[in-house]
Amino acid sequence: MYRAGALAREAVVSAFAAASVAALLAWYGPPGSDFAAHAYQRAVFLQHGFSLWNNFWYAGRYSFVTYSLLYYPLAGLFGIRLLAVATIALAALAFAVVIGREWGPTARWSSRTFAVVWAGIVLSAAFPFALGIALALLALWALQARRLWRFAVLCALTLAASPLAFLLFALLLGGIALSRRVASRQLVQPGLAVAAIGAVEVVLWRLFPGGGRYPFSFAELAAAVTFCLIGAGVTWRVERARILRAIFVVYLAACLAAYLVPSAIGENIARLRFAAIPVAVLAFSLREWRPRLVVVVGLALAIAWNVTPLAASYAKGAADPASSTAAYWAPAVRFLQQNLTPSYRVEVVDTTGHWGAVYLPKAGIPLARGWFRQDDFPENQLLYSALGPRAYTRWLRSLGVRYVVLTSAPVDYSARGEEAVVMSGQTPLRPVFTTSELAVFELDGARRIVTGPGKASVVRLTQSHAVLRLGRPGTYRVAIRYSPYWKSSTGCVWNGSDGMMRLVTPRAGTITLGFDVDAQRALTTLAGRKPDCP
């Protein structure tokens, strides 16, 4: 065990090292892969507060409530970079304390490598997840100290920061419980607290169903399975490592389940890879770094699994830093503000930095896509497969797109086929505005967001409202994603077979659609019933 004061010094040194590396990466490195998403969501929070719906991404989507309730208020208060550094330092501090209390000085190299490696999460910009992990580690610290109320509060904050972090935390606790079957009574109360808090998330997903899913490639599954099998193997029959061994087994089962059952989790379950090196170091430390060949091979694989996504994020961020500036997108924003009417959307051929999803919607320009991979599946899965001109044109028209923006920045892997189709000249797209960095194409025969039996147009589109002008009564298709919380000032709305809203109105004129969550609609949705539409 650590002598008095030694563990505190180890934890403080780890926190300082993590903060130093994270600060260098945050202020002097390229923006992380998810930085654009957080920059836009933070701007939305600062401008609109805690809004539950956003019409400017993906033809409408739930905002904040099923992703992170806690992160964006904190990011609005402290800023993205400062909050990231503080979060990473706090995680390094808590990690050093937790493993130091459990394994003593044997774990010091694990805490030191964690301090350096975890700072690399800045390159991915998975900041809500990092905040959730920091809170989860604090919860483990509280559990070690048998502070159950503090543990419960920190569990709830973990969920509020990141449901994914909470899921991984629950798996970790499952591994601990599995390894300590004899002392299971001590885990009853913590288990009940985690179950109750997890039930809250289930209710939220029921109230605000997303319907998206995240991909999970077989290659990523194979890497995760290999890591778990090696981890379980090297900790087998090592008495001090029984907790670690159980965690590897539980995590392996979770990865297999996430691969076999498509969901919004998908490949995200493999985010333990961001700590693969310190976990491997801990496992080998507990078996005194023997046998040498297994140690060398295991560490090499852990390093590869840990570093590969961070290196890829660094390369993508450094490939075209100009696209992350407002000036890069300003010409397209000016053109669209002068020519786009509220009846249409814009499609930006997605770039590796995804910064079009920031600067255009911030300027009030609604997009057919955004930057949230879960919302692309299955709604926009067409873009991830072999894409032809006719299918692409139908997709643009189905979403009410009039203009397509193509830049010189490197494109996201999901947009390679789209870029080729736009440049092919085989679609009814014609260039209407060009600069040295970008081009804007107009779609001939573009279809409006609202279509139906009479002349129809969108007079005004805001974050969670739409004002329509309809030429005659009847049923109209509104290319805004349906939610049971949409209400019409006249008539009613229902869910079309394509997931878009249908509006039934008994009269012509101006009609307002508003997103409004009330108790009756919430209870109806929770029960799985659809709102009535006479």
Side-chain angles (χ1 to χ4, degrees):
M1 296 296 293
Y2 271 106
R3 290 180 295 176
L7 178 57
R9 287 193 297 273
E10 183 71 31
V12 169
V13 169
S14 295
F16 178 78
S20 300
V21 177
L24 287 173
L25 292 174
W27 271 280
Y28 297 103
S33 302
D34 289 346
F35 201 103
H38 305 316
Y40 175 62
Q41 294 276 68
R42 177 179 182 267
V44 169
F45 178 81
L46 291 175
Q47 185 175 359
H48 301 283
F50 201 84
S51 58
L52 297 178
W53 187 263
N54 182 2
N55 274 327
F56 290 86
W57 269 14
Y58 293 104
R61 64 180 294 269
Y62 292 115
S63 181
F64 304 130
V65 65
T66 55
Y67 185 64
S68 181
L69 297 169
L70 182 61
Y71 174 76
Y72 294 106
L74 292 177
L77 181 62
F78 296 106
I80 292 175
R81 289 182 172 87
L82 180 60
L83 179 59
V85 172
T87 294
I88 289 167
L90 183 61
L93 177 78
F95 184 83
V97 170
V98 168
I99 67 171
R101 288 169 64 101
E102 182 66 32
W103 289 290
T106 304
R108 62 183 178 273
W109 286 110
S110 179
S111 63
R112 293 170 186 178
T113 53
F114 181 87
V116 176
V117 170
W118 190 250
I121 205 168
V122 170
L123 297 174
S124 74
F127 296 140
F129 174 73
L131 174 62
I133 291 297
L135 292 166
L137 289 169
L138 290 175
L140 275 179
W141 185 352
L143 184 61
Q144 285 180 326
R146 298 188 179 180
R147 305 291 186 183
L148 294 182
W149 281 108
R150 185 187 305 170
F151 168 80
V153 170
L154 287 166
C155 284
L157 291 175
T158 299
L159 178 61
S162 169
L164 177 62
F166 179 81
L167 173 61
L168 293 181
F169 178 54
L171 294 175
L172 179 65
L173 292 177
I176 294 173
L178 183 64
S179 69
R180 294 180 172 177
R181 293 187 298 271
V182 176
S184 59
R185 291 182 180 179
Q186 298 178 359
L187 298 173
V188 171
Q189 288 181 319
L192 290 175
V194 171
I197 294 166
V200 173
E201 180 65 13
V202 172
V203 170
L204 285 176
W205 278 100
R206 184 77 174 178
L207 290 173
F208 305 100
R213 61 183 177 85
Y214 200 93
F216 197 167
S217 68
F218 181 77
E220 289 297 336
L221 173 68
V225 168
T226 301
F227 178 76
C228 292
L229 291 177
I230 292 176
V234 300
T235 54
W236 201 259
R237 295 183 179 179
V238 180
E239 180 60 24
R240 294 188 67 196
R242 65 184 186 278
I243 293 177
L244 212 53
R245 180 174 62 250
I247 290 171
F248 281 124
V249 172
V250 171
Y251 186 60
L252 172 62
C255 289
L256 292 172
Y259 179 79
L260 295 173
V261 182
S263 70
I265 299 171
E267 199 172 288
N268 285 315
I269 195 71
R271 282 198 184 177
L272 184 62
R273 68 188 305 177
F274 290 132
I277 294 174
V279 171
V281 168
L282 178 59
F284 290 125
S285 296
L286 293 175
R287 62 174 299 126
E288 299 179 347
W289 302 93
R290 293 196 301 263
R292 301 299 185 191
L293 179 60
V294 174
V295 169
V296 171
V297 173
L299 274 180
L301 291 174
I303 291 170
W305 198 44
N306 199 144
V307 173
T308 299
L310 302 178
S313 296
Y314 182 90
K316 290 177 182 178
D320 189 29
S323 67
S324 65
T325 64
Y328 184 91
W329 298 94
V333 169
R334 284 194 296 269
F335 173 85
L336 293 169
Q337 286 179 332
Q338 293 169 5
N339 294 275
L340 183 71
T341 66
S343 290
Y344 298 96
R345 285 194 183 86
V346 172
E347 161 65 355
V348 178
V349 180
D350 199 18
T351 66
T352 55
H354 317 285
W355 288 96
V358 179
Y359 294 111
L360 272 67
K362 279 179 67 175
I365 299 167
L367 299 183
R369 297 178 76 188
W371 174 224
F372 203 68
R373 190 77 72 185
Q374 286 91 327
D375 286 322
D376 267 352
F377 290 89
E379 287 86 356
N380 300 326
Q381 192 171 1
L382 171 77
L383 302 179
Y384 292 79
S385 56
L387 187 63
R390 291 184 179 179
Y392 181 61
T393 300
R394 286 195 301 270
W395 179 78
L396 292 175
R397 288 174 175 157
S398 70
L399 291 171
V401 172
R402 183 176 180 181
Y403 294 104
V404 175
V405 179
L406 177 66
T407 73
S408 60
V411 297
D412 181 67
Y413 78 91
S414 67
R416 291 168 187 163
E418 184 179 9
E419 180 188 37
V421 169
V422 172
M423 296 294 292
S424 69
Q426 298 177 12
T427 64
L429 290 168
R430 53 186 177 86
V432 291
F433 177 75
T434 59
T435 70
S436 59
E437 301 290 350
L438 56 84
V440 179
F441 297 81
E442 184 174 8
L443 178 66
D444 289 336
R447 187 182 303 162
R448 295 186 176 194
I449 290 174
V450 54
T451 55
K455 185 177 180 181
S457 62
V458 179
V459 178
R460 186 166 175 259
L461 185 69
T462 67
Q463 197 81 11
S464 55
H465 288 80
V467 180
L468 314 179
R469 184 170 292 130
L470 308 178
R472 57 181 297 181
T475 301
Y476 289 80
R477 178 184 186 270
V478 184
I480 296 175
R481 300 208 183 277
Y482 173 80
S483 165
Y485 304 109
W486 277 111
K487 297 179 181 179
S488 173
S489 60
T490 300
C492 62
V493 297
W494 52 284
N495 191 9
S497 59
D498 56 359
M500 296 296 175
M501 197 187 316
R502 297 297 189 273
L503 168 64
V504 182
T505 174
R507 65 173 181 82
T510 301
I511 294 177
T512 300
L513 296 173
F515 183 90
D516 182 24
V517 179
D518 60 32
Q520 182 180 355
R521 288 290 179 100
L523 290 174
T524 299
T525 304
L526 186 62
R529 299 195 304 269
K530 296 181 180 179
D532 294 332
C533 189

